[in-house]
Amino acid sequence: MKRAIPVVVLSIAGLVPVWLYQPSAGSSTVRTTTPAPSTSSAGSSGTNVVTTTTVDTEKGPVQLQVTFSGTEITAVKMLQQPDHPQTEAAVPKLVAETLRAQSADIDTVSGATITSEAYKKSLQAAIDDNAKKASAASPSPSAASPSPSASAQSARTVDGTAVDTEKGTVQVRVTFEGDEISAVRMLQQPNHPQTTAAVPQLIAETLEAQSADIDTVSGATITSDGYKESLQAAIDAKG
């Protein structure tokens, strides 16, 4: 009986470190690995919406939702971003540059380096995911290719009228897949910072509303009205 007591004591002593152990918390300031998109949902006839995983930075989380029409980036929406004035000022510039460059090879916005780098990582991950999805969905050589008439019916590009405003000319090019607006590109726009910031918002709203019945962007009323007029003309011309 006396021998059993030390054994019990040693057993209890061996469990104490296990009870006291807690995993060390990882740093929340940097996530160095390039994130893989968390979700990817296919729209109609070539439209793909990719929601990226959250990238944690020392300023706050960054997460994007990127809309593709085929391989073309048609919209970028910030789902999460640092609550910081410099980030708020940088995001429209990053989105505008993305739509212009059609890639993640864009400049870092001065004063928002951390957010810019996280944005570009997240964007590149979305582009890679879309490319993989497009490759997987491409028909095999043995599959019958669609007739030219079917392809023309599924995708059609229409230019809206050029609307002259006191700030400059506004004109859009709209891509339709069937009856759906799958992409909008600015052919002409005023060379003004407020216009540059407003255009991504107008395009995102158009893709969501699927019409020209969208809100005017505060601070860019003239451009917004010109955009909606040109967009409606393209919709009417499409028939």
Side-chain angles (χ1 to χ4, degrees), residues 60-112:
V62 174
Q63 185 182 29
L64 311 181
Q65 185 180 79
V66 187
T67 303
F68 297 88
S69 176
T71 58
E72 182 181 10
I73 301 170
T74 58
V76 181
K77 182 181 289 186
M78 297 294 289
L79 299 182
Q80 296 187 73
Q81 67 184 61
D83 185 13
H84 194 276
Q86 288 175 313
T87 293
E88 292 179 3
V91 166
K93 298 178 182 179
L94 292 168
V95 173
E97 283 298 314
T98 299
L99 296 175
R100 185 177 298 112
Q102 289 295 305
S103 74
D105 186 17
I106 58 177
D107 292 334
T108 296
V109 177
S110 178

Side-chain angles (χ1 to χ4, degrees), residues 37-52 64-77 99 102 123-137 177 180-183 207 210:
S38 58
T39 61
S40 178
S41 59
S44 63
S45 186
T47 300
N48 186 34
V49 180
V50 179
T51 300
T52 65
L64 311 181
Q65 185 180 79
V66 187
T67 303
F68 297 88
S69 176
T71 58
E72 182 181 10
I73 301 170
T74 58
V76 181
K77 182 181 289 186
L99 296 175
Q102 289 295 305
L123 175 62
Q124 186 60 58
I127 292 171
D128 293 342
D129 180 78
N130 182 67
K132 289 178 183 177
K133 187 176 183 66
S135 177
E177 294 183 358
E180 181 182 359
I181 300 172
S182 60
L207 296 175
Q210 288 295 303

Side-chain angles (χ1 to χ4, degrees), residues 146-160:
S147 64
S149 59
S151 299
Q153 184 177 3
S154 63
R156 181 183 176 189
T157 301
V158 180
D159 291 350

